[in-house]
Amino acid sequence: MPRNRVSAVLGSSVPRPRPQPFPSRSRSTLRRRAVVGVLVLLSLVLITISFRAGSGGAVHRVEGAGATVLRPFEVAAERVARPFRDGYGYFASLVHVKRENSRLKQQVNDLRQKELLGQSALEQNRVLRSQLKFIDSPRFPVDYTPVNTRIISWASEFVQQVVIAAGSDSGIKQDTPIVTNYGLVGRVTDVTGSAAQVTLLTDENSAVPALDQTTSANGLVRHGQGQGSLVLDFVRKEANVKEGDVIVTAGTQSKQYPSLFPGGIPIGVVTHVGQSDTALYKQIQIDPYVDFSALDAVTALITNKRTPKGP
Amino acid sequence: MPADIAKAAGLLFFVVVVQLSVMANVDILGGHPNLVLVTLVSVSLLRGAVFGAVAGFCVGLLADTGVFGTLGFTALLLTLAGYWTGRYGETTGRDRAHAPLLSIAVITVLYQISALVLRYMLGEPAPARHIFAALAPTVLLNLILTVPIYALTRRLLRPREWVTREVRLLG
């Protein structure tokens, strides 16, 4: 540009043109807002459909397809991570190993005595049942076929749910009880051909009819205040529940509300019993046998025996 | 651009699988590190709002299907997280060294609170006390993860200014 032309422009009182937005920039802003708007709308529509559909319909099939695609990758990732997790668990457990060893030795002695008593009671029970020709509902564990499977993914910290690597193809159905060697874990709340969602006992929506093995006091096991803790609720004040009592599933006790779980599955041990003048029931805290933060392999209990239903 | 999409898709798919099968069960001092969120924020910072929003939506949908969750729940939260971080990266956060750390800290807090509110609105379990107690350790763990994850993502998806500068120097 020639020098004199610049000075002429600077010296004059030419009005400045109104700044116009770059067309490409305004277009890009519009595009950006449109994209995010569409995505948010789509998400809200999906939430609505998913929420209304429950555990059926097209959305469930899409979820099932997604879970099937992810499954092999999740299994592979879990297998790769397992040695590291086991290694961490090994070193972490060394901290308490001595104290735990002496506690376990004491426990072994107690259990040895109880086992002897239990064996004779079991035999006596078997004989009496056969003499009475007793008609029973499915019993744990004799009337159940175990399907052993692995946990392949975990939900967020909000919900106590896991996904297992076995589904309806292996005979798992909605409400199938899930256990480990230690005790009750939860129940199946959603199932596809190759995977199933398990809602843990520690979830807010879980509730299991249970009883004190020593006193037969009935109650409902629900999630407690802390993460992974449980409480036995609705136990009458007259019931003589003590610390150290074992809590097991009660099975079906009311024909109006049949239990989803067979009776006799261990849940945990009573750690605290309290009661106040104002509360209607005892406040009982339970230490679950299952470590819900370190679940790895679980067993689905499948039965072909019909669960009796009230007329 | 297609190469960027392929790289980001591969990275985010891998991260979702790791998060669902390994990281979701990790509990350190009560906190739960969120690898998906950290990676998404890193990608969004480097590639902008639209890329971040679309990536967030796809990743959220994948995560929802993987855990039989409410379809669209995580997608909604991650779309907004990706969009907001992308905008921050395009405007104020550009060329600032603290941008990833600041974004992660803010987004983690907003994500946890938004998820809590959304769950409450949907009538699902929303343990507010537990979430607020775990907020500080979760932010800390996510910040620790940010350093290597952002470095890896930056290596994979080089900032666009670098590419332009290299073209200019060569030209």
Side-chain angles (χ1 to χ4, degrees):
Chain A
M1 189 181 280
R3 193 180 285 262
N4 58 350
R5 198 174 157 188
V6 173
S7 61
V9 171
L10 287 173
S12 66
S13 58
V14 178
R16 297 176 75 184
R18 265 181 77 188
Q20 294 288 323
F22 293 113
S24 62
R25 193 170 174 187
S26 59
R27 255 205 312 273
S28 133
T29 309
L30 199 67
R31 193 176 126 249
R32 193 176 61 228
R33 286 179 185 166
V35 167
V36 78
V38 167
L39 292 176
V40 167
L41 197 68
L42 201 60
S43 303
L44 291 173
V45 169
L46 280 172
I47 290 173
T48 310
I49 295 171
S50 177
F51 202 68
R52 280 171 174 265
S55 58
V59 177
H60 188 251
R61 281 198 293 277
V62 171
E63 275 185 323
T68 309
V69 170
L70 275 174
R71 188 172 168 262
F73 296 100
E74 286 175 337
V75 170
E78 202 278 330
R79 277 188 189 162
V80 170
R82 201 186 315 153
F84 297 101
R85 206 164 45 204
D86 290 349
Y88 172 78
Y90 175 76
F91 287 109
S93 64
L94 283 179
V95 178
H96 310 289
V97 73
K98 196 172 176 185
R99 196 173 37 181
E100 196 174 359
N101 188 31
S102 58
R103 186 178 62 82
L104 288 173
K105 273 183 181 165
Q106 179 62 43
Q107 205 173 15
V108 166
N109 285 334
D110 294 346
L111 290 175
R112 202 171 280 150
Q113 289 167 18
K114 280 184 182 171
E115 196 211 349
L116 289 171
L117 293 171
Q119 286 291 349
S120 71
L122 201 68
E123 182 55 29
Q124 196 179 23
N125 185 284
R126 194 186 62 75
V127 171
L128 289 173
R129 272 173 185 272
S130 69
Q131 283 176 357
L132 287 169
K133 298 190 180 357
F134 192 74
I135 299 168
D136 202 358
S137 59
R139 283 191 306 142
F140 171 77
V142 285
D143 292 328
Y144 286 84
T145 312
V147 172
N148 298 313
T149 182
R150 188 166 291 286
I151 287 166
I152 52 170
S153 71
W154 295 75
S156 68
E157 62 268 32
F158 290 105
V159 278
Q160 295 282 307
Q161 287 172 338
V162 295
V163 177
I164 55 173
S168 56
D169 295 347
S170 313
I172 291 173
K173 296 179 206 155
Q174 180 88 9
D175 297 327
T176 295
I178 304 292
V179 298
T180 65
N181 286 341
Y182 299 104
L184 186 66
V185 171
R187 69 185 174 93
V188 171
T189 45
D190 201 350
V191 63
T192 65
S194 59
Q197 181 192 56
V198 177
T199 298
L200 304 180
L201 204 53
T202 46
D203 190 80
E204 275 192 36
N205 294 323
S206 289
V208 182
L211 54 85
D212 182 336
Q213 211 173 28
T214 318
T215 63
S216 295
N218 276 300
L220 203 64
V221 169
R222 303 193 306 167
H223 73 99
Q225 288 295 321
Q227 201 180 10
S229 68
L230 297 171
V231 293
L232 182 64
D233 212 349
F234 304 113
V235 176
R236 286 176 295 109
K237 280 184 177 174
E238 304 86 65
N240 188 24
V241 180
K242 291 196 186 82
E243 283 181 29
D245 283 1
V246 173
I247 304 299
V248 297
T249 52
T252 298
Q253 301 215 319
S254 146
K255 72 175 181 186
Q256 198 180 356
Y257 304 108
S259 175
L260 301 170
F261 304 93
I265 304 176
I267 295 175
V269 63
V270 174
T271 53
H272 176 78
V273 182
Q275 71 180 55
S276 63
D277 294 336
T278 51
L280 289 171
Y281 302 104
K282 279 182 183 289
Q283 289 121 31
I284 301 169
Q285 288 175 7
I286 305 170
D287 184 17
Y289 286 132
V290 175
D291 182 359
F292 290 95
S293 63
L295 284 174
D296 185 15
V298 292
T299 303
L301 297 177
I302 294 165
T303 182
N304 292 324
K305 199 168 176 181
R306 274 193 339 161
T307 309
K309 284 184 181 155
Chain B
M1 191 68 171
D4 275 2
I5 293 171
K7 283 182 201 170
L11 175 69
L12 288 168
F13 182 81
F14 173 74
V15 160
V16 168
V17 169
V18 173
Q19 176 69 36
L20 294 183
S21 49
V22 183
M23 299 294 278
N25 193 29
V26 173
D27 184 329
I28 303 169
L29 302 170
H32 307 275
N34 194 333
L35 199 61
V36 174
L37 192 66
V38 173
T39 315
L40 178 74
V41 165
S42 305
V43 169
S44 305
L45 271 177
L46 293 162
R47 281 297 173 270
V50 174
F51 200 103
V54 175
F57 180 78
C58 298
V59 164
L61 220 52
L62 194 65
D64 285 334
T65 56
V67 294
F68 293 85
T70 308
L71 211 61
F73 182 90
T74 316
L76 175 65
L77 295 175
L78 291 184
T79 301
L80 294 173
Y83 178 74
W84 185 85
T85 319
R87 281 303 290 154
Y88 175 64
E90 285 169 348
T91 53
T92 330
R94 188 186 293 171
D95 294 335
R96 292 192 178 175
H98 64 262
L101 294 171
L102 182 67
S103 306
I104 282 295
V106 174
I107 289 286
T108 303
V109 173
L110 291 178
Y111 179 87
Q112 298 286 77
I113 293 171
S114 308
L116 189 69
V117 171
L118 203 54
R119 283 203 173 274
Y120 181 73
M121 284 166 69
L122 290 171
E124 289 181 13
R129 203 181 67 153
H130 167 61
I131 295 301
F132 283 111
L135 200 55
T138 303
V139 171
L140 188 71
L141 291 168
N142 281 357
L143 285 174
I144 293 167
L145 277 177
T146 304
V147 179
I149 294 290
Y150 186 72
L152 176 77
T153 316
R154 201 177 161 89
R155 232 179 131 78
L156 212 64
L157 307 168
R158 296 200 308 164
R160 282 187 178 139
E161 301 89 71
W162 288 12
V163 181
T164 332
R165 206 180 302 152
E166 276 172 21
V167 170
R168 219 179 290 144
L169 284 170
L170 289 168

